[in-house]
Amino acid sequence: MSSCRERDSPPIGGEGRRAENNKQDRVRTVGMDAATLTYDTLRFGEFEDFPETSEPVWILGKEYNALAEKDEILSDVTSRLWFTYRKNFPPIGGTGPTSDTGWGCMLRCGQMILGEALLCRHLGRDWRWATDQKQREDYISILNAFIDKKDSYYSIHQIAQMGVGEGKPIGQWYGPNTVAQVLKKLAVFDTWSRLVVHVAMDNTVVIEEIKRLCMPWLDAAGACAEAAGVSELNGCLEGACALAEEETALWRPLVLLIPLRLGLSDINEAYIETLKQCFMLPQSLGVIGGKPNSAHYFIGYVGTSVNLLYVMRSL
């Protein structure tokens, strides 16, 4: 729903929020480089291609009426995190690129889909960003995780450097599967969110694998039982095999990423209805996809046709 534009890196700190070209607000927080945090405040009258239709609009599990709920739709869309090309950030790896223009579009889409997971994790799906309200500390912490510097959990620096292990040199375009694998590795270090990112390969979701990842104490309990005998399981868990309290929660939050090829140049019609149903799921984080030098983050659809909504288009 908005075009990707390169952003220059501003200085650290600033004056709260200021309008840019009367259309955008950039969040600035003292002590935080907020260059990646850009919000479109365009009204729907400027979205000339948004259909005037009585058919439903679905955005990440929420249903809207395009005729009666335009403000609600806009509020929902503009509350999604938008990361785009930037320049003049610290060199990746100390001597690498200072801009991701031309190669970072899928990396930015990966940031956005994971950013949506963090919003749901810490703020809830119904949270909305408002220009006239002080933002919650959890929101600021989420933004900090994506700042373009080497020590942010999900920065362009971390994603690019971790991608080297996936066979992608720094500065090379990623496919959706590569960025999914990288995010899976980076999430391990995010002890605040404690997300489990699972990439389902070969179009298959194995429930037992999900259980082992989201309830890791089950394996620990099983190993403990094998070592001490089933009859001593409780005592063993309370002793040397005990897990930290935070590791014994009922379920670790799961981000399930399923890499799929839905077509070559266009989406195969056989997948359209199923794809639309995915956007209707309340747990939906959206879809990322693209081709070299072009990537999109899709968040919903309009009507009975395949009119998909996206918050980023990189060319």
Side-chain angles (χ1 to χ4, degrees), residues 252-301:
R252 293 188 66 182
L254 171 69
V255 175
L256 177 61
L257 302 176
I258 307 176
L260 296 170
R261 183 182 292 275
L262 300 181
L264 297 177
S265 58
D266 297 300
I267 298 176
N268 189 316
E269 290 187 4
Y271 300 122
I272 290 178
E273 289 304 315
T274 303
L275 179 61
K276 290 163 62 175
Q277 291 178 26
C278 290
F279 289 117
M280 297 168 66
L281 293 172
Q283 303 88 351
S284 176
L285 299 177
V287 175
I288 60 175
K291 55 187 177 181
N293 301 318
S294 178
H296 298 76
Y297 172 39
F298 298 102
I299 60 171
Y301 75 93

Side-chain angles (χ1 to χ4, degrees), residues 65-72:
N65 183 302
L67 299 177
E69 298 179 296
K70 284 189 175 181
D71 287 342
E72 290 81 356

Side-chain angles (χ1 to χ4, degrees), residues 76 219 259:
D76 197 347
D219 284 342

Side-chain angles (χ1 to χ4, degrees), residues 33-295:
D33 178 357
T36 58
L37 319 176
T38 306
Y39 296 85
D40 262 357
T41 56
L42 297 172
R43 307 309 297 175
F44 262 87
E46 297 176 272
F47 290 130
E48 296 178 357
D49 57 347
F50 195 88
E52 294 284 340
T53 177
S54 59
E55 294 180 314
V57 176
W58 283 92
I59 299 175
L60 300 177
K62 297 284 186 180
E63 183 180 7
Y64 295 98
N65 183 302
L67 299 177
E69 298 179 296
K70 284 189 175 181
D71 287 342
E72 290 81 356
I73 295 172
L74 180 62
S75 177
D76 197 347
V77 172
T78 55
S79 295
R80 305 309 108 216
L81 298 181
W82 177 32
F83 303 118
T84 184
Y85 288 144
R86 288 187 61 237
K87 61 182 179 181
N88 296 334
F89 50 64
I92 297 176
T95 58
T98 60
S99 172
D100 63 315
T101 303
W103 61 271
C105 50
M106 185 59 74
L107 283 71
R108 297 298 187 185
C109 287
Q111 286 181 322
M112 286 190 286
I113 200 170
L114 189 63
E116 177 62 20
L118 296 182
L119 290 179
C120 292
R121 167 80 170 96
H122 297 291
L123 301 177
R125 177 64 182 89
D126 293 329
W127 173 86
R128 295 293 181 266
W129 186 82
T131 59
D132 56 350
Q133 296 179 7
K134 181 179 179 180
Q135 304 306 322
R136 290 167 52 178
E137 289 301 317
D138 284 352
Y139 177 70
I140 301 302
S141 296
I142 292 171
L143 299 186
N144 270 313
F146 295 94
I147 298 300
D148 288 347
K149 56 184 181 181
K150 64 179 181 179
D151 55 350
S152 296
Y153 288 131
Y154 308 112
S155 66
I156 195 86
H157 297 64
Q158 293 283 8
I159 296 175
Q161 291 184 289
M162 187 67 76
V164 173
E166 298 293 323
K168 295 290 186 179
I170 295 174
Q172 186 173 110
W173 188 84
Y174 284 16
N177 180 56
T178 300
V179 77
Q181 297 291 346
V182 168
L183 293 175
K184 173 183 176 180
K185 294 179 179 179
L186 292 178
V188 173
F189 302 99
D190 184 358
T191 55
W192 175 54
S193 300
R194 296 183 65 250
L195 293 176
V196 172
V197 177
H198 180 59
V199 183
M201 302 304 295
D202 300 322
N203 306 342
T204 304
V205 178
V206 181
I207 300 301
E208 290 305 315
E209 291 183 7
I210 300 296
K211 289 181 178 179
R212 284 196 296 269
L213 288 170
C214 296
M215 299 185 289
W217 60 89
L218 293 181
D219 284 342
C224 196
E226 290 178 4
V230 176
S231 62
E232 302 178 11
L233 178 59
N234 289 337
C236 185
L237 284 175
E238 295 171 357
C241 292
L243 298 173
E245 182 178 353
E246 62 271 16
E247 293 298 324
T248 58
L250 292 178
W251 183 266
R252 293 188 66 182
L254 171 69
V255 175
L256 177 61
L257 302 176
I258 307 176
L260 296 170
R261 183 182 292 275
L262 300 181
L264 297 177
S265 58
D266 297 300
I267 298 176
N268 189 316
E269 290 187 4
Y271 300 122
I272 290 178
E273 289 304 315
T274 303
L275 179 61
K276 290 163 62 175
Q277 291 178 26
C278 290
F279 289 117
M280 297 168 66
L281 293 172
Q283 303 88 351
S284 176
L285 299 177
V287 175
I288 60 175
K291 55 187 177 181
N293 301 318
S294 178

